[in-house]
Amino acid sequence: MDGAGLVFTPATPFFAAAIAILHGRCFDDPWPETAAREILAMPGVFCLIAGDDDDDDGGGEDDAAAFVICRMAADECEIISIGVVPERRRTGIATALLAAAITRAHGMGAKNVFLEVAADNKAAEGLYRRQGFAETGRRVDYYRRHNGRVDAIVLAREL
């Protein structure tokens, strides 16, 4: 899949339960619904949910496969979280979703986009590097794992 056949639905705090469920399917340390609601309500935050565009319901949260949450501040965009459900990984959804988020951020005036990725998540790091992101820093022992902690690599890209 190259992103064709996907619908990107903007999500508001009303979608907090769906985001919490998606986050839980994507990550080992899921957000509770209250945290998702608080993040989605923050100033400058936008969220996109990726789902299949089928003729039955038009896609959206019912068949959600991925999400991205971003925060705009001045001319910068931070990608707070991006996740794809395990059964849909390596299908091009993350690439399409990242491109949609960057396009939206650029349209909102962003000149730079940055994010953090776990040092042990080589697939995600590779995706970001293929999309022009470069390492700008590191946060030691940032992410919790069942067997300890792992660094966060800070990546950035100019638009």
Side-chain angles (χ1 to χ4, degrees):
M1 174 180 270
D2 60 5
L6 289 176
V7 171
F8 300 108
T9 304
T12 65
F14 177 77
F15 290 79
I19 293 297
I21 290 167
L22 268 172
H23 195 276
R25 291 184 62 203
C26 296
F27 301 105
D28 294 335
D29 191 14
W31 293 341
E33 182 178 340
T34 54
R37 184 173 289 105
E38 288 172 7
I39 291 167
L40 292 171
M42 292 170 53
V45 167
F46 69 88
C47 175
L48 300 172
I49 297 175
D52 292 320
D53 182 15
D54 56 32
D55 293 334
D56 295 337
D57 64 9
E61 77 174 300
D62 290 340
D63 56 2
F67 73 96
V68 62
I69 300 175
C70 302
R71 178 176 45 208
M72 292 290 300
D75 63 354
E76 292 190 331
C77 176
E78 174 189 13
I79 297 177
I80 296 171
S81 188
I82 183 170
V84 177
V85 296
E87 64 272 17
R88 299 292 297 274
R89 291 180 182 156
R90 298 198 177 277
T91 64
I93 292 174
T95 301
L97 188 57
L98 183 61
I102 289 170
T103 297
R104 182 163 179 176
H106 189 259
M108 295 171 73
K111 295 181 180 171
N112 298 291
V113 178
F114 66 96
L115 56 86
E116 296 164 347
V117 62
D120 62 353
N121 190 344
K122 297 302 181 191
E125 183 182 352
L127 164 71
Y128 303 135
R129 290 187 185 275
R130 285 189 302 276
Q131 299 305 312
F133 285 81
E135 185 171 342
T136 61
R138 190 172 281 257
R139 300 186 199 288
V140 177
D141 293 338
Y142 187 78
Y143 291 106
R144 287 180 285 184
R145 295 290 189 256
H146 65 278
N147 59 350
R149 299 185 78 79
V150 65
D151 292 355
I153 300 170
V154 181
L155 300 170
R157 173 185 160 184
E158 288 185 28
L159 301 182

